[in-house]
Amino acid sequence: GNLSNQLAPYIVQLSQTVNFSDPNTFPPVSGVKMIINDNAGNSDTLKENPVGIYSGTKLIGIPNRTYTLLFSAMGKNYTSVSTMPAPVNIDSLNITKSLFGKKKHATITFNDPAGITNYYRLVEIVNHIPQNSTEVLSDELLDGQTITTNVSSRSDTLTLRTGDSVTVLLESIDKGVYTHYISLQNASGGSGQISPANPSSNVNNSALGYFCAYSVTTKSIVVP
């Protein structure tokens, strides 16, 4: 589930897991009362449409507020809490070439706020199509510094071409969501991990997945 500082709707998708050896077709969970509230006393009961997809429009994502997702399914109560960080502006978006000039990348530069721990999720949209190469990073060794990073560095199949429209989202996320994405990258046995394992989750009661309240800034460019 995701809720941002942008205009509604915000959406939560709920489904059942399947065995590791089964096809990745996850049955949707329908008929659930899904509630999101914030620490300012506001609340919204989400509506289901289509099956397994719950959305709401009443809440406004405000940085530094804490949002709680509540629902019951299959006899268990589930809770997830996420605090929305303040947005961080993208200072520049450029198209750079790889070392041997064979591949183009979208590269952003931004100034990390000093004195606080920040976590980021980078999303790239090419020709209005969101890419699957979501990348996360933290300022653990870069606090207060100017950060320049490739956005599409994890996409082995994406090739940017002249005339392509590229939009980059710099999402400020909290630690729980950052940890989920880091473990998700390793969940299939990557990064030296011997066997597949479930990613971490910020939803209680052993549920898999995450709920994220994030702030976002964007920048766009046409590939020269």
Side-chain angles (χ1 to χ4, degrees):
N2 292 283
L3 183 150
S4 77
N5 62 333
Q6 303 296 299
L7 294 177
Y10 35 89
I11 294 174
V12 177
Q13 181 175 354
L14 188 62
S15 61
Q16 298 180 57
T17 56
V18 295
N19 292 327
F20 180 79
S21 58
D22 291 344
N24 288 332
T25 301
F26 304 101
V29 178
S30 182
V32 170
K33 184 178 181 181
M34 186 89 60
I35 297 173
I36 298 178
N37 57 43
D38 65 20
N39 59 344
N42 304 297
S43 182
D44 189 9
T45 300
L46 280 59
K47 296 180 180 179
E48 182 182 10
N49 185 24
V51 175
I53 306 294
Y54 301 81
S55 63
T57 59
K58 294 181 180 179
L59 296 178
I60 299 175
I62 297 178
N64 300 315
R65 282 193 183 176
T66 297
Y67 295 85
T68 301
L69 172 69
L70 302 159
F71 64 95
S72 297
M74 300 179 181
K76 290 185 178 181
N77 297 321
Y78 296 94
T79 303
S80 182
V81 179
S82 182
T83 299
M84 182 180 293
V88 175
N89 289 325
I90 300 174
D91 293 321
S92 65
L93 168 61
N94 298 290
I95 303 298
T96 59
K97 291 185 178 181
S98 61
L99 181 61
F100 299 102
K102 294 183 178 180
K103 189 173 182 179
K104 296 179 179 180
H105 297 283
T107 301
I108 63 169
T109 299
F110 61 94
N111 292 316
D112 178 75
I116 58 174
T117 304
N118 295 281
Y119 303 94
Y120 304 101
R121 177 171 60 186
L122 307 177
V123 179
E124 185 177 32
I125 301 173
V126 179
N127 297 325
H128 309 291
I129 301 174
Q131 303 301 298
N132 293 324
S133 55
T134 299
E135 185 173 358
V136 293
L137 67 152
S138 76
D139 67 347
E140 182 177 0
L141 302 176
L142 301 167
D143 181 52
Q145 298 185 29
T146 298
I147 298 175
T148 298
T149 181
N150 283 342
V151 179
S152 53
S153 59
R154 292 188 180 275
S155 177
D156 296 329
T157 59
L158 175 65
T159 300
L160 295 179
R161 304 182 186 280
T162 299
D164 283 346
S165 171
V166 179
T167 298
V168 173
L169 283 63
L170 177 62
E171 299 177 355
S172 295
I173 60 178
D174 65 12
K175 184 177 181 180
V177 177
Y178 170 80
T179 302
H180 167 81
Y181 271 96
I182 289 295
S183 65
L184 190 64
Q185 293 170 5
N186 301 328
S188 60
S191 301
Q193 191 167 307
I194 296 175
S195 60
N198 289 328
S200 69
S201 172
N202 68 349
V203 187
N204 74 342
N205 249 336
S206 301
L208 300 178
Y210 71 93
F211 170 62
C212 177
Y214 68 92
S215 62
V216 59
T217 58
T218 66
K219 218 168 188 61
S220 299
I221 193 173
V222 175
V223 179

